[in-house]
Amino acid sequence: DAGVTQSPTHLIKTRGQHVTLRCSPISGHKSVSWYQQVLGQGPQFIFQYYEKEERGRGNFPDRFSARQFPNYSSELNVNALLLGDSALYLCASSSGGQGRFGYTFGSGTRLTVV
Amino acid sequence: AQSVTQLDSHVSVSEGTPVLLRCNYSSSYSPSLFWYVQHPNKGLQLLLKYTSAATLVKGINGFEAEFKKSETSFHLTKPSAHMSDAAEYFCVVIHTGGFKTIFGAGTRLFVKA
């Protein structure tokens, strides 16, 4: 079985641009969550989606948005990129809505803003 | 409010000696607690989870953790360290009343030969 897949694996963008990151969950998983991991720090929760609805949001500005599609895949969008948005963006999926049984993480998208 | 505190940013042990990585949590609700490991340039891997069943939880690769409600702790242990255990370890809390996942800052484990 395929794990959580994220695309692209690496990305370089210029300040002010927009970026879209994509995530495909494990087959049968209906919950997807997004995290930002800045170098040397723990992942910070951005969003969680379950059954195509936003169920949780972390302390990120409105420049960050996401959605979940009918096939449970998800996109994370970031507008007006700042240098500080440079990070590893991780997607995780779980079968249940609240992740009580743990999440399976993808390998991440490394975003560099120059 | 929820929070997770990993008490050591770095831990160094010799191969074959015990490992202790400390984690304290704060949660207004009954928490689900997890330990994840992240090897360099790799994704996060679930080591073990506590979800209000047995308080002593066994995970992969010989790791285990004990949930102590009175101390609000969920420390990770392993009887004998192996070189391949060198990695970053994250303690994570998810409270069952919501959908927010909180990671600790991480503990870097070094294993000396």
Side-chain angles (χ1 to χ4, degrees):
Chain A
D1 281 343
V4 177
T5 57
Q6 293 187 244
S7 63
T9 55
H10 296 83
L11 200 55
I12 299 175
K13 288 287 191 177
T14 304
R15 278 179 296 175
Q17 285 188 315
H18 162 271
V19 69
T20 297
L21 310 181
R22 296 179 174 82
C23 172
S24 293
I26 289 174
S27 178
H29 283 192
K30 299 180 179 180
S31 174
V32 169
S33 53
W34 288 94
Y35 303 82
Q36 180 196 65
Q37 186 176 22
V38 173
L39 198 61
Q41 298 181 19
Q44 298 294 312
F45 173 75
I46 309 176
F47 287 110
Q48 189 193 10
Y49 278 77
Y50 177 65
E51 288 283 16
K52 292 153 282 184
E53 291 187 8
E54 181 184 306
R55 299 301 183 104
R57 174 185 284 255
N59 297 325
F60 280 80
D62 292 343
R63 300 184 295 107
F64 288 77
S65 63
R67 54 180 175 168
Q68 187 176 33
F69 298 99
N71 67 353
Y72 302 108
S73 67
S74 178
E75 283 182 355
L76 175 70
N77 294 284
V78 187
N79 292 323
L81 284 166
L82 303 173
L83 294 179
D85 296 330
S86 295
L88 180 66
Y89 288 83
L90 295 164
C91 172
S93 74
S94 69
S95 54
Q98 296 183 345
R100 291 186 67 241
F101 301 103
Y103 289 101
T104 301
F105 283 82
S107 297
T109 294
R110 173 74 61 187
L111 172 65
T112 302
V113 182
V114 297
Chain B
Q2 311 155 81
S3 66
V4 178
T5 302
Q6 291 186 241
L7 298 170
D8 306 289
S9 59
H10 298 85
V11 169
S12 182
V13 300
S14 297
E15 192 174 22
T17 64
V19 175
L20 170 64
L21 306 182
R22 299 182 294 165
C23 172
N24 286 351
Y25 71 92
S26 168
S27 177
S28 303
Y29 302 88
S30 299
S32 294
L33 295 162
F34 307 83
W35 278 97
Y36 283 85
V37 60
Q38 188 174 37
H39 290 274
N41 300 315
K42 296 278 183 72
L44 287 154
Q45 181 184 19
L46 178 65
L47 274 180
L48 49 79
K49 56 182 179 258
Y50 166 77
T51 55
S52 74
T55 56
L56 183 62
V57 181
K58 293 188 183 298
I60 62 172
N61 301 335
F63 284 95
E64 61 181 39
E66 186 172 8
F67 173 70
K68 292 186 177 180
K69 187 175 182 179
S70 60
E71 298 176 10
T72 61
S73 69
F74 190 58
H75 300 336
L76 181 70
T77 60
K78 182 173 180 177
S80 176
H82 191 272
M83 295 297 288
S84 61
D85 295 327
E88 187 90 21
Y89 291 80
F90 294 99
C91 182
V92 179
V93 62
I94 301 174
H95 79 80
T96 54
F99 292 86
K100 196 168 182 179
T101 306
I102 308 295
F103 276 75
T107 297
R108 171 74 65 178
L109 176 65
F110 297 94
V111 182
K112 298 173 291 187

